[in-house]
Amino acid sequence: MKRSFASSAGPWLIGGGLIILVAYHLLNLPLHGPSVDVLAMTGGAVLGYVILGAGIYLMGGAGRHGTATPPLPASERSFALKSLHSTETVIDRLLSEYSHWLESATADGRAWVAFDQLVREIAATYLHAAHVRCFHVSAEDATLRGLTSSDENKTERLASARSGILGHVATTGRLFVSGDRAQGELVQRLADEAEQKWQLVWPIRREGRTIGLIAIGELQTLDIAVRTLCETVLRLTELVWCHLICRVELDRAQSTDKASGVLTRDNFFSAASRSLAESHSEREPVVLAVLALEGLRGLDDGGAWRLRDSLVEQTGRELSRRTRSDDIVGRFSDDRFVMLLRRLDSGLGRLIARKLVEGVQNVIANGGERTVNVSVRIGLVGSGFGQTELDELLVAAFDAAERARRENERIWIDMDAVADARSQT
């Protein structure tokens, strides 16, 4: 970069001023023979004034010759100054906002929807950003899912985590900034070919892998000040993102049964009571199901403890996989699992129960000959048109499971008992 007139004038001003001061100092000393030349000192003072004048001339000529860096337009200058000011205080302000949010955030799946909204607000406030999207990165199936996506929609088409500019950032873990030549021409071309244009894509990293992405479609500017601010905001957001994951994982670990991965009995009571109250307020039907694994004691007696534990664990996973995010699944005892299924009538509940039995039977079959005496049964009870309390539903569902055992049926539902009573009259 060329030096401006203003920067060149500095040495002239300083040099001229120093010569003048030295000359005046010497002129005021008494004369002691030929060692002091008044004429020379007077000439030095004059020379100092000339040099000082040259510096002043250069300072004044900086604007006329146009070689100085032109000032930013008023709008960009105010935004840059705001960015610089924000960078100095952004850590304190953001940590305060995040801390306040974390105090009120729930440690469950709904927290991600609220967090997505928080990130959008932060980006809009501090970065003047628009079109902000946040994604979970799934390494298992190499897909991207928005933080606001619902787990209920199993048929939702998810974006690939291995294609396009988003896939590039997810796979490599490297930040993308549109127009940054240091990234290489091919990376920019990859971004330009995408249907959705992103100006900045930030990877959320944890334990050496990408677990999320923050993609920004529009930024007012990406000068040095704003880019520094951008990195500060996004790094703090990355820390809070990872902190929220830890909170969700800790809550899950404290509330779930270690052997099966579903809720413990106490936590099932708490979660199911809240869920049932919501269903009552919205006039929604529910179905409560009790699944029994029969024959586990035989595995214990035969010394197949690891196989028994594996059956319990895989059964819990199968039930979690086949139920929705707002269904409540818990383990009540060694061989009894309980499920509160929302927005289901008894007829749909029977269809769901068939799929559950089929899935758990496949788990049992994978155990080979040693699990031949293990079987699965389900007892169901529906709320119908009333608003039955949780304890009553549980008692009825356990009775239905016992009735299934006595009748040697895979599935027994409360409507079956009603049908039997009618047939006997």
Side-chain angles (χ1 to χ4, degrees):
M1 179 182 295
K2 295 182 178 179
R3 296 179 62 188
S4 66
F5 277 98
S7 61
S8 301
W12 289 87
L13 293 174
I14 295 172
L18 288 175
I19 292 174
I20 293 171
L21 289 175
V22 171
Y24 271 108
H25 178 71
L26 293 176
L27 284 172
N28 289 331
L29 292 175
L31 299 179
H32 298 287
S35 62
V36 180
D37 191 340
V38 176
L39 182 60
M41 289 185 290
T42 304
V46 173
L47 177 61
Y49 278 113
V50 171
I51 295 175
L52 183 62
I56 295 174
Y57 171 78
L58 289 174
M59 285 291 291
R64 292 193 300 272
H65 291 280
T67 56
T69 302
L72 290 171
S75 58
E76 294 188 17
R77 183 167 63 253
S78 62
F79 181 69
L81 289 175
K82 180 180 179 181
S83 300
L84 288 170
H85 174 71
S86 299
T87 304
E88 297 175 357
T89 58
V90 69
I91 295 179
D92 288 338
R93 292 164 65 179
L94 279 183
L95 286 179
S96 177
E97 292 183 31
Y98 282 138
S99 177
H100 178 74
W101 180 84
L102 285 169
E103 289 178 0
S104 59
T106 57
D108 55 24
R110 291 174 295 180
W112 290 111
V113 177
F115 183 69
D116 181 86
Q117 181 62 33
L118 178 66
V119 173
R120 292 170 184 266
E121 293 174 357
I122 292 294
T125 301
Y126 292 97
L127 307 179
H128 291 198
H131 307 299
V132 180
R133 289 289 308 276
C134 300
F135 301 92
H136 285 300
V137 177
S138 173
E140 296 179 0
D141 55 2
T143 57
L144 303 176
R145 178 189 291 273
L147 298 193
T148 57
S149 297
S150 174
D151 291 334
E152 296 179 24
N153 189 1
K154 303 294 185 181
T155 61
E156 179 185 5
R157 184 177 180 182
L158 303 179
S160 172
R162 298 183 61 186
S163 63
I165 191 62
L166 295 181
H168 170 77
V169 176
T171 304
T172 64
R174 291 196 290 266
L175 165 71
F176 167 74
V177 179
S178 181
D180 188 346
R181 296 180 179 178
Q183 297 170 137
E185 181 182 350
L186 293 179
V187 174
Q188 185 63 52
R189 185 184 303 174
L190 184 65
D192 293 339
E193 292 176 353
E195 181 178 353
Q196 173 67 58
K197 300 298 187 293
W198 302 108
Q199 282 195 264
L200 185 147
V201 183
W202 181 276
I204 304 298
R205 304 280 289 176
R206 187 188 187 205
E207 297 178 354
R209 66 184 184 90
T210 305
I211 59 171
L213 296 175
I214 299 177
I216 299 178
E218 182 179 334
L219 282 171
Q220 283 194 5
T221 180
L222 270 176
D223 59 20
I224 295 177
V226 176
R227 181 159 177 174
T228 301
L229 176 64
C230 233
E231 292 182 357
T232 301
V233 171
L234 293 174
R235 286 190 186 281
L236 286 174
T237 304
E238 183 176 10
L239 289 175
V240 177
W241 188 310
C242 293
H243 181 269
L244 183 57
I245 289 178
C246 292
R247 279 194 55 179
V248 172
E249 291 176 342
L250 178 61
D251 181 74
R252 185 183 299 120
Q254 292 177 334
S255 62
T256 57
D257 173 59
K258 293 182 178 180
S260 62
V262 300
L263 293 176
T264 62
R265 181 164 56 193
D266 288 342
N267 285 284
F268 175 86
F269 275 119
S270 300
S273 297
R274 291 193 300 268
S275 183
L276 187 60
E278 292 176 3
S279 296
H280 287 169
S281 65
E282 298 175 12
R283 304 291 180 178
E284 296 174 350
V286 300
V287 168
L288 200 140
V290 172
L291 183 144
L293 282 176
E294 299 179 355
L296 290 184
R297 183 172 296 180
L299 294 177
D300 284 335
D301 295 340
W305 301 294
R306 292 183 179 177
L307 178 58
R308 170 197 172 280
D309 292 343
S310 177
L311 281 181
V312 170
E313 178 185 359
Q314 293 182 59
T315 297
R317 289 183 179 179
E318 184 68 16
L319 297 180
S320 298
R321 186 178 70 85
R322 290 183 177 268
T323 53
R324 298 161 298 178
S325 60
D326 57 352
D327 294 331
I328 311 298
V329 183
R331 187 184 182 201
F332 256 47
S333 61
D334 188 51
D335 58 353
R336 295 291 193 274
F337 293 82
V338 180
M339 291 157 283
L340 180 67
L341 309 176
R342 294 188 59 175
R343 298 185 298 279
L344 290 181
D345 59 88
S346 298
L348 288 177
R350 187 194 296 273
L351 297 178
I352 297 296
R354 289 175 183 172
K355 293 184 176 181
L356 294 175
V357 168
E358 178 183 351
V360 176
Q361 282 180 329
N362 290 334
V363 169
I364 296 172
N366 290 335
E369 295 182 358
R370 303 196 69 177
T371 59
V372 67
N373 293 323
V374 179
S375 60
V376 57
R377 303 184 195 278
I378 289 185
L380 292 172
V381 59
S383 61
F385 297 100
Q387 294 189 355
T388 311
E389 295 300 322
L390 179 61
D391 290 348
E392 296 179 40
L393 290 173
L394 283 169
V395 171
F398 273 96
D399 287 343
E402 179 62 22
R403 183 67 178 270
R405 187 188 66 80
R406 292 199 308 265
E407 300 293 336
N408 196 27
E409 297 286 346
R410 292 294 185 192
I411 301 173
W412 187 270
I413 193 168
D414 58 339
M415 292 193 309
D416 297 334
V418 174
D420 287 349
R422 288 178 179 174
S423 63
Q424 294 174 4
T425 59

